[in-house]
Amino acid sequence: MKNINEFKKHVGTLISGNVLAQAITFAASPILTRLYSPEEFGFYATFVSLVSVLSVLFALTFEKCIPLAVNRKIAGQITVLSLKLAACFSVLYIVVVTTTSFSLLKMFTGRTSLWLEIILILSVFSASATQTLNFWHLREQYFASTSRAKVSQNLGNVFSQALFSQFDALRSSGLIIGDAFGRLAAFSMQYMSFIRLKQVKGIFKTKIWSAYIWKKYYRFPLFTSISVLFNALSLQIPILALNQFFNASVAGNFMLTQKVIGIPITLIGTAVAQVFYSTAAKSIDSNPIQVLVLYKKITRNLFFVTLPVFVVFSFIAPFVFQAFFGKDWFLSGQYFQILAVSFFSQLIVLPVSQVLYITHNQIVQTIWDFSRFACFYLIFWSCHFFQIGELSTIGIYTIFSTSFYLLLYLLGRYYISTQVQQHARKRSMLNRN
């Protein structure tokens, strides 16, 4: 009972912060969609997709080890190592861009400059570092700091984006500059909170090549980082492919659809996911049955609570989008109608999607992520090759996306149940002895 009450309390803390953060985004969206065109949102969408993909790699997923560390000192060392890795990769990227013709921005958007590349890498570093510090705060169960950082990020985003839209010289890049400001604000808050907490002496001297951490957690950079990369690519490939195979306007409309549905997903899913990961990581070895009960309860409750909302909104989405965001955004509502099932399955499975990492099945997770990425890329490439329209393309994508989330849910249940059986056998052997 105590664990359930603590779980509810922590979820409440994160949700309250996310409510405010998402309220800021939601309130500002009708303003921003009238200040910027679908094409400008398309460029912004591609930029954010690149940030999302790169940021999951820069710490080599060592941040996921933080809640699993055996004591606070090692957790602190992993945190510092992850921050240093992100900084090193950021510098390396700038060196590569300035000394070669390589540019991800140019590859996917057709635009690049040193200024844009610097904004990109600042955003990537801030996103990676904030994610690392979030895991530290989750381990410490200091959830209020994570909530405040999210609010600061969204405030920085919307105010900066609205401000830069008024300057002709910055308008075309106003959305991405504002995004960078928001990410820097979140990182600054989390870092200040991190250094204010009483740290174990000497953790800031942790070397990137720390033998103990690499030897104990080698599976994360070796397997989990690949899995997380393909997971990020799977999530972002619709934006990248729609921008590359269709046009920026289609990508911009798709992004707005994701942004709107991202409000309940972030509000509920991410908050529950963070606390579930923190709770499950501590209980999976000692009390796996508790994890299984929590797994089933979360997914069941989310299904029945959110199903009516998705059904009702799907009928009125195009008219709501047009009335709320402006006449240029009717297409986003049509996208929502097609994508509703995929978003619904994502909301249900996302909060418990880290379970394969917790049960040490990184290879299975990697196979799932790679298969999903390969399938999605093949869908968009084939639809482009056969000149299938964007609405039909998104419909095909929805079918396969929903199927993969269902498979992930079933895999999670299977491996937690396996952990429960192993734990029961161990206890039975101990009792016999």
Side-chain angles (χ1 to χ4, degrees):
M1 180 63 70
K2 181 180 178 182
N3 288 335
I4 295 296
N5 289 336
E6 286 183 355
F7 182 87
K8 291 180 179 178
K9 178 183 176 182
H10 296 327
V11 170
T13 301
L14 286 171
I15 286 182
S16 62
N18 281 331
V19 165
L20 181 56
Q22 295 304 319
I24 294 167
T25 300
F26 189 73
S29 293
I31 300 172
L32 294 175
T33 52
R34 287 169 170 83
L35 293 174
Y36 294 97
S37 67
E39 290 77 12
E40 287 166 330
F41 264 94
F43 174 65
Y44 174 49
T46 307
F47 175 88
V48 171
S49 294
L50 292 175
V51 171
S52 300
V53 171
L54 291 174
S55 62
V56 301
L57 278 182
F58 272 33
L60 298 180
T61 67
F62 271 118
E63 74 278 1
K64 293 183 182 297
C65 308
I66 296 170
L68 304 175
V70 293
N71 58 50
R72 200 164 184 258
K73 180 178 180 180
I74 294 173
Q77 291 174 334
I78 298 171
T79 303
V80 173
L81 180 144
S82 299
L83 294 174
K84 289 182 177 180
L85 279 172
C88 288
F89 279 116
S90 298
V91 173
L92 177 63
Y93 182 85
I94 289 296
V95 171
V96 171
V97 167
T98 54
T99 57
T100 69
S101 59
F102 176 81
S103 170
L104 289 173
L105 272 177
K106 188 174 182 180
M107 185 185 304
F108 287 100
T109 69
R111 295 172 53 185
T112 187
S113 68
L114 182 58
W115 170 244
L116 290 176
E117 297 291 352
I118 290 174
I119 295 173
L120 173 65
I121 208 61
L122 280 176
S123 296
V124 172
F125 170 77
S126 298
S128 176
T130 301
Q131 179 74 351
T132 292
L133 294 169
N134 282 345
F135 274 100
W136 165 265
H137 286 87
L138 290 177
R139 177 187 172 84
E140 297 294 299
Q141 296 194 332
Y142 191 30
F143 300 101
S145 177
T146 301
S147 294
R148 286 195 294 267
K150 185 63 179 175
V151 172
S152 298
Q153 178 175 341
N154 286 22
L155 276 173
N157 277 356
V158 300
F159 280 112
S160 300
Q161 289 170 342
L163 175 64
F164 290 124
S165 70
Q166 304 305 306
F167 299 94
D168 291 338
L170 297 174
R171 178 184 171 83
S172 62
S173 304
L175 287 168
I176 70 168
I177 299 173
D179 184 81
F181 268 91
R183 294 182 191 276
L184 284 169
F187 162 65
S188 300
M189 287 198 66
Q190 287 291 69
Y191 186 72
M192 292 303 296
S193 174
F194 174 65
I195 62 176
R196 278 198 303 266
L197 292 172
K198 292 182 179 179
Q199 305 300 324
V200 180
K201 185 177 180 181
I203 64 170
F204 285 98
K205 296 180 181 179
T206 304
K207 305 296 183 183
I208 291 179
W209 52 87
S210 171
Y212 172 81
I213 295 175
W214 282 88
K215 184 177 180 179
K216 183 172 181 60
Y217 300 105
Y218 73 93
R219 288 179 177 270
F220 285 83
L222 192 61
F223 299 115
T224 306
S225 60
I226 299 173
S227 171
V228 169
L229 172 62
F230 285 122
N231 180 60
L233 285 170
S234 299
L235 291 173
Q236 302 306 324
I237 198 161
I239 293 288
L240 297 173
L242 289 172
N243 184 72
Q244 192 170 30
F245 294 149
F246 292 95
N247 55 61
S249 179
V250 172
N253 275 282
F254 190 93
M255 181 194 189
L256 184 64
T257 308
Q258 282 190 319
K259 193 174 183 180
V260 170
I261 196 58
I263 292 174
I265 289 177
T266 302
L267 181 64
I268 301 171
T270 305
V272 177
Q274 290 174 330
V275 182
F276 174 77
Y277 188 81
S278 178
T279 303
K282 294 179 180 179
S283 304
I284 191 64
D285 293 323
S286 60
N287 192 8
I289 189 66
Q290 179 189 352
V291 179
L292 182 60
V293 170
L294 198 58
Y295 186 89
K296 293 179 180 179
K297 185 176 182 179
I298 289 172
T299 52
R300 182 177 63 250
N301 289 349
L302 285 174
F303 181 90
F304 287 110
V305 169
T306 59
L307 179 60
V309 179
F310 273 86
V311 172
V312 172
F313 191 71
S314 294
F315 283 103
I316 60 175
F319 307 102
V320 172
F321 272 79
Q322 187 176 34
F324 197 75
F325 299 109
K327 59 183 178 62
D328 294 332
W329 300 95
F330 183 85
L331 188 59
S332 293
Q334 292 182 312
Y335 287 177
F336 181 89
Q337 290 179 315
I338 300 171
L339 290 160
V341 178
S342 175
F343 287 141
F344 178 62
S345 61
Q346 181 182 357
L347 177 58
I348 294 170
V349 180
L350 178 66
V352 294
S353 61
Q354 302 288 322
V355 73
L356 293 182
Y357 298 128
I358 297 169
T359 55
H360 308 291
N361 287 287
Q362 287 94 336
I363 296 177
V364 176
Q365 181 74 55
T366 301
I367 294 171
W368 181 85
D369 284 315
F370 175 77
S371 300
R372 187 169 67 139
F373 163 70
C375 178
F376 289 173
Y377 182 81
L378 183 61
I379 287 170
F380 285 103
W381 182 87
S382 299
C383 288
H384 171 69
F385 182 81
F386 292 105
Q387 298 183 338
I388 298 174
E390 70 267 20
L391 293 178
S392 298
T393 299
I394 292 172
I396 298 170
Y397 161 78
T398 297
I399 294 171
F400 282 91
S401 176
T402 304
S403 301
F404 272 102
Y405 277 116
L406 176 60
L407 175 61
L408 182 61
Y409 168 76
L410 295 174
L411 285 171
R413 282 194 60 164
Y414 171 77
Y415 283 109
I416 299 176
S417 299
T418 301
Q419 200 88 357
V420 171
Q421 293 170 5
Q422 292 174 350
H423 186 261
R425 283 197 294 268
K426 288 180 181 177
R427 291 187 62 179
S428 177
M429 291 177 61
L430 289 173
N431 291 336
R432 285 200 299 268
N433 293 334

